[in-house]
Amino acid sequence: MKGLFLGAVVCLLVLLPAALAHDPPVPFSPKKGRVAYYRMSNGLGTPAGACGYAKTGITYNYGNVAAASSKLWKNGAACGACYLVKCGIKGICNGQGVKIVVTDRGDGDNTDFILSSHAFETMALPNKASQLLPKGVVDVKYERIPCKYPGHDSLMVKVTEQSRFAEYLSVVLLYQGGQYDVLGIQIYDGSVKQWKDMRNAYGAVYDLPNPPKGTISLRLKLKNIASGGAVKLVKLDNVIPRFWKAGVAYDSKVKLA
């Protein structure tokens, strides 16, 4: 589960597309890997990514998004993670690389990521993208880094469009930031004074039939990748209002460092 607790103030939001990763940690201590790219005419990722971010996901980070391979997917915990990816072809790659956000799942020719073509060509030197793209698959070095979302520095809880008020609640976490994997989400049922597990429907989407009435509090189980995998629970009090609406994101006011 992904999140951090502070008294939650609920507000409605029109989702903005930009998401940008922080500058990478120093020194850069990467892993070796391979990346390919989606051959989409708009240069973006797939319009319905496996994380459940829907069309909002392809516009993250100005289109610099990626699908994580099966080995990095971690049952959807990879969703929302940011990486710095660099290729090293002399005379073609710029050495600065590209900062990507995972919004999908996909495997290629022994690849770690499948980038949007926009992200793939961002690794190239000026006027060299036309030489990089035909290669299709390239060797890279990559490292997990924190995320930053301009205009959204706190965690959002979106009630997905599939939800039906009072009958079925489905949520996805947006703009999580930090270096946290979400391992699970619980919902508080005040009628029995217990926390109940939500089902991980797919990717970053969690759901529950017949959700509790009234305002809704969630509890997130987070794994801190930056601190060696420490796990903690974070509560989002009253993060979803009593009369919630499908398709609306609510601000938790919680920031992940």
Side-chain angles (χ1 to χ4, degrees):
M1 306 176 180
K2 311 169 185 175
L4 250 168
F5 169 64
L6 236 132
V9 178
V10 178
C11 68
L12 301 184
L13 162 92
V14 176
L15 293 176
L16 297 180
L20 187 63
H22 277 307
D23 290 337
V26 178
F28 182 59
S29 54
K31 297 179 180 179
K32 293 182 179 180
R34 284 160 58 84
V35 300
Y37 66 92
Y38 287 110
R39 299 180 185 273
M40 304 287 287
S41 60
N42 60 8
L44 304 178
T46 55
C51 287
Y53 298 141
K55 292 183 178 179
T56 302
I58 65 173
T59 60
Y60 272 6
N61 202 18
Y62 308 104
N64 291 330
V65 298
S69 66
S70 297
K71 70 178 182 181
L72 296 174
W73 180 244
K74 296 180 284 189
N75 295 319
C79 293
C82 291
Y83 291 85
L84 176 62
V85 181
K86 299 179 181 181
C87 64
I89 305 174
K90 291 184 178 180
I92 297 180
C93 296
N94 58 30
Q96 298 175 347
V98 61
K99 299 168 185 177
I100 60 169
V101 181
V102 174
T103 60
D104 202 354
R105 176 181 180 178
D107 291 287
D109 179 14
N110 195 30
T111 57
D112 296 85
F113 301 101
I114 301 177
L115 310 184
S116 66
S117 58
H118 183 274
F120 194 90
E121 65 186 10
T122 299
M123 296 188 296
L125 288 163
N127 303 315
K128 295 294 183 178
S130 61
Q131 295 182 39
L132 182 60
L133 286 171
K135 294 184 179 299
V137 181
V138 296
D139 293 331
V140 297
K141 294 181 179 180
Y142 67 91
E143 183 179 35
R144 179 82 176 262
I145 59 174
C147 302
K148 182 179 179 181
Y149 300 88
H152 299 288
D153 58 355
S154 58
L155 180 71
M156 308 297 298
V157 179
K158 180 183 177 182
V159 177
T160 73
E161 288 79 2
Q162 291 72 39
S163 299
R164 300 183 301 277
F165 179 71
E167 297 177 3
Y168 171 74
L169 176 64
S170 170
V171 301
V172 63
L173 303 180
L174 303 174
Y175 312 121
Q176 67 211 50
Q179 295 195 70
Y180 295 90
D181 286 347
V182 176
L183 304 182
I185 301 179
Q186 293 179 318
I187 191 168
Y188 187 71
D189 188 341
S191 65
V192 293
K193 293 182 171 51
Q194 289 182 349
W195 289 97
K196 295 183 177 180
D197 291 332
M198 298 186 75
R199 179 181 71 116
N200 184 200
Y202 64 95
V205 177
Y206 288 78
D207 65 0
L208 184 75
N210 303 313
K213 295 179 174 57
T215 57
I216 293 175
S217 296
L218 300 177
R219 188 166 68 178
L220 315 178
K221 185 179 181 182
L222 304 176
K223 183 177 181 180
N224 191 330
I225 302 303
S227 65
V231 176
K232 63 180 178 180
L233 295 175
V234 171
K235 190 167 65 169
L236 308 178
D237 273 340
N238 303 321
V239 68
I240 300 176
R242 177 184 181 88
F243 298 107
W244 48 264
K245 296 181 179 180
V248 175
Y250 300 95
D251 191 349
S252 73
K253 299 300 182 184
V254 169
K255 300 179 181 180
L256 297 180

